Coordinates of all heavy atoms in Angstrom, one line a residue:
Chain A
Y80 N -1.0 12.4 15.9 CA -2.3 12.2 15.2 C -3.1 11.1 15.9 O -4.3 11.0 15.8 CB -2.1 11.9 13.7 CG -1.6 13.1 13.0 CD1 -0.4 13.1 12.3 CD2 -2.4 14.3 13.0 CE1 0.0 14.2 11.6 CE2 -1.9 15.5 12.4 CZ -0.7 15.4 11.7 OH -0.3 16.5 11.0
Chain B
H12 N -4.7 22.4 5.1 CA -6.0 21.7 5.4 C -6.3 21.6 6.9 O -6.7 20.6 7.3 CB -6.0 20.4 4.6 CG -4.9 19.4 5.0 ND1 -4.5 18.5 4.1 CD2 -4.2 19.3 6.2 CE1 -3.5 17.8 4.7 NE2 -3.4 18.2 5.9
P14 N -7.6 21.3 10.5 CA -9.0 20.8 10.9 C -9.8 21.9 11.5 O -11.0 21.9 11.4 CB -8.6 19.7 11.9 CG -7.2 19.8 12.2 CD -6.6 20.5 11.1
N57 N -3.0 14.0 3.0 CA -2.6 12.9 3.8 C -3.7 12.5 4.8 O -4.4 13.3 5.2 CB -1.3 13.1 4.6 CG -1.5 14.2 5.6 OD1 -1.7 15.4 5.3 ND2 -1.3 13.9 6.9
H59 N -4.7 11.3 8.4 CA -4.2 11.6 9.8 C -4.6 10.5 10.7 O -5.4 10.8 11.7 CB -4.7 13.0 10.2 CG -4.3 14.1 9.3 ND1 -5.1 14.4 8.1 CD2 -3.4 15.1 9.4 CE1 -4.5 15.4 7.5 NE2 -3.5 15.9 8.3
H125 N -10.2 15.3 7.3 CA -10.2 16.7 7.1 C -9.1 17.1 6.1 O -9.2 18.1 5.4 CB -9.9 17.5 8.4 CG -8.5 17.3 8.9 ND1 -8.1 16.3 9.8 CD2 -7.3 17.9 8.7 CE1 -6.8 16.4 10.1 NE2 -6.3 17.3 9.4
G126 N -8.1 16.2 5.9 CA -7.0 16.5 4.9 C -7.6 16.7 3.5 O -7.1 17.5 2.7
G189 N -2.1 20.5 2.7 CA -1.3 20.3 3.9 C -0.4 21.5 4.1 O -0.3 22.4 3.3
G190 N 0.4 21.5 5.2 CA 1.3 22.6 5.5 C 0.4 23.8 5.8 O -0.8 23.7 6.0
H193 N 3.9 24.3 10.6 CA 3.3 24.0 11.9 C 3.9 22.9 12.6 O 4.5 22.0 11.9 CB 1.8 23.8 11.8 CG 1.3 22.6 10.9 ND1 1.7 22.4 9.6 CD2 0.4 21.6 11.2 CE1 1.1 21.3 9.2 NE2 0.3 20.8 10.1
E240 N 4.3 18.1 5.6 CA 3.2 17.9 4.7 C 3.4 18.6 3.4 O 2.8 18.2 2.4 CB 1.9 18.3 5.3 CG 1.4 17.5 6.5 CD 0.0 18.0 7.0 OE1 -0.4 19.1 6.8 OE2 -0.6 17.2 7.7
M243 N 3.8 17.2 -0.2 CA 2.7 16.9 -1.1 C 2.4 17.9 -2.2 O 1.8 17.6 -3.2 CB 1.4 16.6 -0.2 CG 1.6 15.4 0.7 SD 0.1 15.0 1.6 CE 0.0 16.3 2.8
Ligands
LIG1 FE1 -2.5 17.7 7.8

Side-chain angles (χ1 to χ4, degrees):
Chain A
Y80 289 122
Chain B
H12 59 208
N57 68 293
H59 303 77
H125 71 269
H193 62 307
E240 291 185 340
M243 294 187 287

